[in-house]
Each structure stands twice: as C-alpha cells, then as structure tokens.
Amino acid sequence: MAKVVPLFSGSKGNSYYIGSSGEGVLIDAGRSCKQLEAALDLNNISAKSIGAVFVTHEHIDHCSGLRVFAKKHGLKIYASEGTLLAMEEKNLIGATNHCEVISGEVSVGNIGVVRCDTPHDARESCCFKVFTPDGRAATIATDLGVMTDEVRELIRTSDFAVVESNHDVNMLKNGFYPPNIKRRILSDRGHLSNDACAAELAEFVRCGAFRLMLGHISENNNIPELALRTSVEALAELGMEQGLDYTLASVPAETDGKSVVF
C-alpha cells in the first residue's frame, strides 16, 4: 500500500516521505536532522526504509538538514547539476555526502523517480514524480511561478499529487513583505497563488488524479482554510464535489501524524 507523508511544508521547511512495502524516498530535507528524525518517528517510519533523498532546489527551506541527515543515515542525494553546485557553494552539502545528478529517471531499490524542471528563482529547480513498488505514482509539485505543460502531465498521470497553493494575492499585496519580495513571489519564477492553483485542479481530477493536497502554504500571506476554500469553490463551479469526485486537503506546516494512502 503506497503512502505519502507530508512531514513539513511551508516557508520554515519542506519534506515528504513517499513509499510502500517498507521502502521509500524523501523529497527534500528542509528541517534539521533532529526534526526530520522526530517527524519520521511520529509517523512510524524508520530512517532505514529511506533509499535516498531527492532535492528540488537549493533554498534553505528545502535542504537545511540535508547534509547531516544524509551523512548520518548513509543516504545518496539526488538533485539537478545546478542544484548540487549551488548547495556546494552554500556549504549545504559536503565532501562526505554521496551526491548524484538526476537528469531523467533513476531507480532506488524498487522505487522509480522522475525529474521534471520547474520555473523558480533557483539555479536549476525541479519537481519529482515517484513510482512505488505496487505500481502507484505520486508527484510533489511546489515552488513554481507558473504551471508548465510538463508538470501538468506528471500530475495528470499520478494517483496522488501535492500542488502548490502558496499565497492569497490580496494578502501578499497588502502584507508587510518589501516590494522586491512581493514581485519575486508574484513573478513567473516565484510561487503559485491560491487562484492559480485552483484553476489547474479540475483538469487533474478529470484525468484521474483524484487525491490532491495543497502544499507550501505561506504562513504570512495565506491561511490553509482559505487556500482549501478557493480550490473547493472553483471545482464546485465546474460541478465537482469534494469527497465524491475528489479528495483535497491542505498540508500542515508541522507533521501531524497523518499519512495519505493512495
């Protein structure tokens, strides 16, 4: 039985466990080693079951605990070439870490992982689709300024997906962030808003991606309930009912012990 466990999500750190049959992978390691281990323990996941860590990009909320966690547990790190170089420059990984470039698809035990590039203000950011041993597929797609056709295709053909619903545009524009940060977030290399995310979901549901989560929700420019309501209302306008045609939830910033079986 395949499952996704959102360990952390948001500006303070991001990490997801995806696996089945006692083996899995970690997407990002954006909290300290101690916090990652505690979150795994809370969800009854052994670090020994993790085959590798896949990093989407070099921003600190996605790799702050990477160097220590990967070294302690003997895990290989996969990322794009640009991400690996950027993490080396920022001392986020070291010579003792075993790193490898993922350019397309790799296998980790019985798990397959596919990389897809994303538009974000990082060196060479990407997202990942994970194929579990029981034939299921999950995509984690956050940190993208706009939805691309390539990312859409990954989600359409997944059994489960986390899609970014980062900010409410009005909250961001009227908030305390400086103008340059607001422009960055709103740009095509920033983050998806609630409305931009909601506009994408109907197509995913029509294509069979019925199990969805909203991720990377801003603590300062959004509210989980608002992100969820925006998407549910957009889908309702198209005749899609939550709980009947699809399932949708917002990912908590902190782990709450809830995994998603898909």
Side-chain angles (χ1 to χ4, degrees), residues 7-134:
L7 302 173
F8 300 102
S9 179
S11 58
K12 292 183 179 179
N14 297 271
S15 186
Y16 298 83
Y17 173 89
I18 306 176
S20 69
S21 304
E23 60 179 318
V25 297
L26 213 60
I27 307 297
D28 289 329
R31 286 289 186 93
S32 71
C33 178
K34 183 177 180 179
Q35 289 172 313
L36 290 168
E37 289 174 337
L40 290 169
D41 288 343
L42 184 59
N43 287 278
N44 298 312
I45 300 169
S46 170
K48 295 179 180 179
S49 71
I50 299 172
V53 183
F54 291 79
V55 183
T56 58
H57 61 293
E58 71 273 14
H59 290 170
I60 197 69
D61 57 322
H62 292 262
C63 57
S64 61
L66 178 65
R67 181 175 59 183
V68 175
F69 184 83
K71 180 182 178 181
K72 180 177 180 179
H73 297 286
L75 298 174
K76 183 183 290 188
I77 297 168
Y78 287 95
S80 69
E81 182 176 14
T83 295
L84 289 177
L85 289 172
M87 289 194 295
E88 288 175 4
E89 292 170 4
K90 295 181 177 183
N91 200 32
L92 295 169
I93 53 175
T96 56
N97 291 123
H98 184 186
C99 302
E100 188 169 321
V101 172
I102 176 172
S103 56
E105 181 174 0
V106 299
S107 295
V108 178
N110 295 306
I111 291 176
V113 181
V114 173
R115 164 192 162 182
C116 180
D117 292 344
T118 54
H120 193 50
D121 60 338
R123 186 77 62 87
E124 190 181 0
S125 66
C126 62
C127 67
F128 299 105
K129 181 176 182 178
V130 178
F131 297 88
T132 61
D134 55 358

Side-chain angles (χ1 to χ4, degrees), residues 124-238:
E124 190 181 0
S125 66
C126 62
C127 67
F128 299 105
K129 181 176 182 178
V130 178
F131 297 88
T132 61
D134 55 358
R136 311 294 279 177
T139 295
I140 309 297
T142 66
D143 297 78
L144 56 165
V146 293
M147 183 65 70
T148 67
D149 288 340
E150 292 77 14
V151 176
R152 286 189 184 100
E153 183 59 24
L154 251 62
I155 298 173
R156 287 190 199 108
T157 55
S158 294
D159 301 288
F160 172 86
V162 174
V163 185
E164 178 170 59
S165 189
N166 176 257
H167 59 276
D168 174 79
V169 173
N170 288 328
M171 286 182 67
L172 175 62
K173 289 182 175 180
N174 295 312
F176 63 86
Y177 282 12
N180 63 313
I181 299 298
K182 292 180 180 181
R183 287 193 297 270
R184 180 182 70 80
I185 293 172
L186 292 167
S187 76
D188 287 349
R189 291 176 61 82
H191 292 275
L192 285 184
S193 69
N194 290 346
D195 291 334
C197 173
E200 298 286 343
L201 299 186
E203 180 183 358
F204 301 148
V205 173
R206 291 191 190 103
C207 291
F210 305 123
R211 295 183 178 273
L212 299 164
M213 266 193 168
L214 306 179
H216 214 302
I217 296 172
S218 171
E219 295 180 21
N220 297 316
N221 303 300
N222 208 353
I223 303 169
E225 293 78 10
L226 175 59
L228 191 61
R229 184 170 69 247
T230 302
S231 287
V232 169
E233 290 177 352
L235 290 168
E237 289 179 2
L238 298 173

